[in-house]
Amino acid sequence: MKTQYCYIEDLFLLLTGSDYRLDWPVLSFGKQKRTYQCFFARNQNLLSPPNRHECWTNFVQLRDNFGQIFSTWRNKHEELGPGFYLYLGTRRGITQYVENRFVNLIWGIESLHRRKPPKQPMPTKLEEKIQRILSNIEAEKDRRWLKKKIEHTVEPTLENRIFETFRNVPFDLDDKLLRQFSKDCADNRNQISHFGGPRHKENYGEFVTNLSNKCEALSYLYHALILKEIGVDVQILNSRMLEGYGSHIIKTALSDVGLLPKP
């Protein structure tokens, strides 16, 4: 029951965009259909219910395929695992250090890319070089042998994983701007992972401010990507992020990291 309850609560978090917790569940079982309200340990609910205009979507928009969305959500939650719940882990209403929030978002994006690679990944310079070398080998058996030897050595960079993942968001982003954003995110993740923070003697306050801005942009893009993955219509997501009520907050977050022009 608790597992199913968490599935439903996480889905409503995504559909509403609010960390508001659902009420305690009521169970009904037995021949006499006795009902019981179930209580268990969980975080305290301190938020107000979301208003209609604040939600990413609503039941009127989803009613024709809500059952399919819920089934897809449950299946994808199992299939993609941390690619989904590492994002949800940043949305539990718990205050986190900005470094914790940032690396969890990046880990989730990396996991999503590993479990759901793009259909047509962009070739890297290394892959292009390997193909040039292979094409210059005359003997077919030598070419097959070398290709087999190196096929597991070409690992996509974190920058490419971020870039390829966010090329699937439900609206167009300039490839050049997205590439720079992906590179900056990968550099920051490596700084935190390998050096505990800024590698060089840059101002820590500026580093944290820039990291916080990236977290906001990453969270909106990641959120839209998951909703698209479970079957929410692209037009609904496009309207929410670029046209609808409250879209100025999202567009400002994206412009703060250079993904959109300043509004």
Side-chain angles (χ1 to χ4, degrees):
M1 181 282 305
K2 288 173 63 177
T3 299
Q4 300 306 316
Y5 176 85
C6 288
Y7 280 141
I8 297 171
E9 188 170 57
D10 285 346
L11 177 61
F12 272 77
L13 185 157
L14 290 168
L15 297 179
T16 64
S18 169
D19 298 335
Y20 178 75
R21 312 299 297 265
L22 297 179
D23 198 1
W24 298 106
V26 175
L27 304 184
S28 174
F29 55 90
K31 293 183 179 180
Q32 297 179 344
K33 296 296 181 183
R34 294 178 179 176
T35 59
Y36 303 85
Q37 192 158 31
C38 184
F39 301 94
F40 50 89
R42 64 173 183 166
N43 295 327
Q44 190 175 2
N45 191 5
L46 301 176
L47 300 175
S48 300
N51 292 310
R52 180 179 59 183
H53 62 270
E54 297 172 330
C55 295
W56 279 66
T57 182
N58 57 63
F59 185 68
V60 175
Q61 293 176 321
L62 304 181
R63 59 186 172 190
D64 291 339
N65 61 339
F66 185 81
Q68 183 59 48
I69 288 174
F70 179 65
S71 296
T72 303
W73 159 245
R74 294 200 339 172
N75 294 334
K76 293 285 186 178
H77 195 284
E78 294 293 329
E79 175 188 342
L80 300 177
F84 274 12
Y85 60 70
L86 280 169
Y87 169 73
L88 292 164
T90 67
R91 297 293 310 272
R92 303 297 188 189
I94 302 174
T95 302
Q96 293 179 309
Y97 286 107
V98 65
E99 291 93 340
N100 293 124
R101 185 185 179 200
F102 178 77
V103 296
N104 274 280
L105 288 168
I106 296 297
W107 284 338
I109 294 161
E110 184 177 11
S111 175
L112 195 63
H113 184 275
R114 289 181 180 275
R115 292 176 178 241
K116 188 178 175 60
K119 294 179 180 179
Q120 293 181 332
M122 297 289 287
T124 65
K125 291 183 179 179
L126 176 59
E127 290 168 336
E128 291 173 350
K129 186 174 183 178
I130 289 173
Q131 290 302 319
R132 287 199 305 271
I133 294 172
L134 288 172
S135 64
N136 288 326
I137 299 176
E138 294 184 2
E140 176 65 23
K141 65 176 183 179
D142 292 339
R143 189 162 54 249
R144 288 199 306 268
W145 175 85
L146 182 58
K147 185 177 181 180
K148 186 175 181 179
K149 285 292 183 182
I150 64 176
E151 63 182 2
H152 298 299
T153 63
V154 183
E155 177 76 6
T157 64
L158 179 58
E159 174 189 331
N160 282 331
R161 292 190 188 279
I162 298 170
F163 176 75
E164 290 171 0
T165 298
F166 284 142
R167 291 185 88 227
N168 294 315
V169 292
F171 59 93
D172 292 331
L173 289 172
D174 183 271
D175 277 358
K176 185 177 180 180
L177 299 178
L178 181 57
R179 173 65 72 181
Q180 183 61 52
F181 175 71
S182 302
K183 182 181 183 305
D184 292 342
C185 287
D187 289 344
N188 287 153
R189 199 296 304 267
N190 292 337
Q191 286 176 319
I192 295 170
S193 297
H194 301 300
F195 301 96
R199 183 174 183 179
H200 304 292
K201 294 182 180 179
E202 62 181 284
N203 182 280
Y204 181 70
E206 292 180 1
F207 176 79
V208 169
T209 299
N210 291 332
L211 209 61
S212 180
N213 289 340
K214 288 187 179 72
C215 284
E216 289 302 303
L218 286 168
S219 185
Y220 286 125
L221 294 175
Y222 205 160
H223 193 148
L225 205 61
I226 294 177
L227 288 176
K228 178 185 175 185
E229 185 68 31
I230 65 175
V232 176
D233 188 83
V234 170
Q235 291 183 344
I236 294 174
L237 300 177
N238 199 300
S239 174
R240 165 61 180 163
M241 298 192 74
L242 300 180
E243 302 168 8
Y245 183 93
S247 62
H248 64 283
I249 298 175
I250 300 176
K251 288 188 287 188
T252 298
L254 298 180
S255 69
D256 284 343
V257 296
L259 287 173
L260 289 179
K262 288 290 183 180

